[in-house]
Amino acid sequence: MSAQPVIITTPRDRPGSPAPARRTPMAGESPPRPRPAPATRDPAAEAVAAPPPAPDPAPAGRLGLCALLAETAHVHPHRVAFVDPADKRAWSGRAPITWTYAAATEIVSRLANGLRTWRLPKGSRIGLSLAGGAESALAYLAIEAAGHCPCLLPPGWSEDDLVAGVQAAGIAAVLCQARAGNAAPAETMRRVALRYFGLRYLAAFGPDVPDGVISLDGMALDGTGGPFAAQAAGGLVSFAGGDPARPVHRSGNALLAAIALHHTRIGIAPGERILSLLPFSDLRAVVTGLGTALTGGAGLETLPVFSALPFAETLARPLPTHLVAPAGLERNLAASRLPDTLRSCSLVHRAPSAFPARALAADGAHPVIDVVAFDEVALLSGTRGRDDVLRTLADPERSPLPDALIAIRAEEDGRLAFRGEACRTALLQRGNSPEKTAEAWSETRFRATVRAGRVTALTLG
């Protein structure tokens, strides 16, 4: 297949001005090299030095997570928002940064203004192929603030998976990073762009951004900030079961409803911390990490590359902490000495899944929350000993769930179905999202195995 053009713009263009277009060179041509950001400049340091952001003149019109970021930044600019892992340089080539709400808002605003210079219609889908860390959160919020729709691309996908995923979801641009361990995501995405004509823009964080790819560091350094535009959030696109052929769209309201349900379970307070071990690749990570942190005015710290010693050191920091971990780590956590600063522990499952005997005991002061993801349709959270998800799934009719947000039933064939604002999703078809109401039931692929009033497994049916 012949090479297809990838239009790029320079970060020095004024927001709203026409962007000069260039393309990825055809075979045999010498590719142009974008102007690199000066090595001596640091976007985080410049953002910290910037004045606190001004309030949006029309706050009632703002929706989405970027609005929550801006509101907290205006009231508590010096509160910590995002913290990079201490070993970040080893796998990304970039130094770890602790971002205050004010600094994060400034950088998100600069990135959003840069994205607005791209020749993309409002509501375009922009892919995120980022392993985690602060850049994942900043890029997600910048896409939303620019009036576009973030689309999560799992970092572990192969090149063929990426081609299939961006085509199925109708993705027009991708934000990634130059280096992730031994991988070079930006180089991989360049090859994806040559195979899919619809992918028009590529941009990456990090040193050594390849030719033909926009430097997001340069965009943050040379761009200008300001209040976020008053506009509705475009929701979220993710992939059911990590399958590139099954992109799912969730509206902005549906995403906020799912976040609200989980937020009520953990009771996080402003200024506390969420420590997440989940990759930034699906609904689970957005709801339990970024969404819940911003809803509670808290901080978010992620560990994209898990290692026992750095995890123990990070967890032991004297901060009120809400841990989010894959459910497979429960026995390891139970065998560890957990600090007194641990306020809650969310164990995240993804159907199909078995639920063996529990190792972590819950108490009133340190609740354990089980979170079960049903593809990208629904996320069900419940506290052990109170609104236990395994008993809720065993007898949905007696569950204490708010029906307007989430309701569950078993269909005639035994498959579980969900309804409510938090479950309002639609499978994209050739890039289009069919309309779906909150009253419509969404059937999943899973059946529940029930014993003694408790679900012991969720199986594919």
Side-chain angles (χ1 to χ4, degrees), residues 29 65 147 151 177 183 231 242 245 264 273 299 301 351 371 402 431 441 444:
E29 295 181 329
L65 301 182
C151 183
Q177 57 200 106
Q231 54 197 348
T264 59
R273 170 182 69 156
E301 188 167 356
V371 185
W441 287 94
T444 70

Side-chain angles (χ1 to χ4, degrees), residues 158-203:
S158 67
E159 182 180 323
D160 289 341
D161 288 336
L162 288 167
V163 172
V166 297
Q167 187 169 4
I171 293 174
V174 171
L175 310 186
C176 58
Q177 57 200 106
R179 174 186 164 194
N182 294 325
E187 286 285 358
T188 301
M189 291 308 309
R190 281 210 313 175
R191 296 193 296 270
V192 170
L194 295 176
R195 297 172 59 182
Y196 175 55
F197 178 80
L199 183 53
R200 298 176 56 198
Y201 296 88
L202 294 179

Side-chain angles (χ1 to χ4, degrees), residues 370-393:
D370 287 293
V371 185
V372 184
F374 296 83
D375 283 337
E376 298 298 285
V377 172
L379 203 68
L380 183 63
S381 300
T383 307
R384 293 182 181 180
R386 291 207 304 265
D387 42 17
D388 198 305
V389 294
L390 301 189
R391 297 194 180 279
T392 295
L393 290 170

Side-chain angles (χ1 to χ4, degrees), residues 441-457:
W441 287 94
S442 297
E443 186 178 284
T444 70
R445 305 178 295 158
F446 310 107
R447 293 186 174 91
T449 301
V450 180
R451 292 179 184 171
R454 179 180 177 272
V455 167
T456 58

Side-chain angles (χ1 to χ4, degrees), residues 60-369:
R62 298 183 302 167
L63 298 174
L65 301 182
C66 64
L68 299 176
L69 176 77
E71 289 166 3
T72 301
H74 181 61
V75 180
H76 301 287
H78 303 298
R79 182 180 293 170
V80 172
F82 308 123
V83 179
D84 277 325
D87 62 346
K88 180 181 177 182
R89 190 184 293 277
W91 53 267
S92 73
R94 297 163 63 79
I97 298 174
T98 296
W99 297 84
T100 65
Y101 267 86
T105 300
E106 174 68 18
I107 291 300
V108 167
S109 184
R110 293 185 189 185
L111 293 175
N113 285 336
L115 297 181
R116 291 190 192 104
T117 67
W118 295 358
R119 295 189 180 99
L120 295 176
K122 290 295 183 184
S124 293
R125 297 182 190 115
I126 297 183
L128 274 176
S129 183
L130 293 161
E135 284 98 342
S136 298
L138 297 171
Y140 182 101
L141 296 168
I143 293 170
E144 194 181 70
H148 298 304
C149 179
C151 183
L152 303 181
L153 302 172
W157 273 1
S158 67
E159 182 180 323
D160 289 341
D161 288 336
L162 288 167
V163 172
V166 297
Q167 187 169 4
I171 293 174
V174 171
L175 310 186
C176 58
Q177 57 200 106
R179 174 186 164 194
N182 294 325
E187 286 285 358
T188 301
M189 291 308 309
R190 281 210 313 175
R191 296 193 296 270
V192 170
L194 295 176
R195 297 172 59 182
Y196 175 55
F197 178 80
L199 183 53
R200 298 176 56 198
Y201 296 88
L202 294 179
F205 290 105
D208 303 320
V209 172
D211 294 337
V213 178
I214 301 167
S215 169
L216 289 172
D217 289 344
M219 186 183 291
L221 283 165
D222 298 331
T224 57
F228 291 131
Q231 54 197 348
L236 169 69
V237 172
S238 50
F239 293 82
D243 184 350
R246 299 172 62 209
V248 175
H249 179 260
R250 175 180 295 271
S251 71
N253 285 341
L255 177 60
L256 291 174
I259 292 168
L261 282 172
H262 180 70
H263 180 263
T264 59
R265 300 293 187 261
I266 72 169
I268 191 169
E272 294 184 343
R273 170 182 69 156
I274 291 177
L275 176 60
S276 178
L277 306 183
L278 299 184
F280 198 77
S281 59
D282 54 24
L283 179 68
R284 300 173 302 166
V286 174
V287 168
T288 62
L290 179 62
T292 299
L294 294 178
T295 301
L300 174 64
E301 188 167 356
T302 58
L303 294 178
V305 180
F306 180 80
S307 181
L309 182 57
F311 167 65
E313 293 173 347
T314 302
L315 185 62
R317 287 172 52 202
L319 292 170
T321 299
H322 299 262
L323 178 64
V324 179
L329 292 178
E330 178 174 1
R331 292 194 175 279
N332 301 77
L333 292 172
S336 304
R337 183 176 180 179
L338 300 177
D340 294 336
T341 51
L342 187 65
R343 296 291 184 263
S344 73
C345 179
S346 295
L347 299 172
V348 186
H349 313 254
R350 185 168 72 176
S353 176
F355 301 98
R358 290 166 167 173
L360 273 178
D363 58 56
H366 304 89
V368 176
I369 298 97

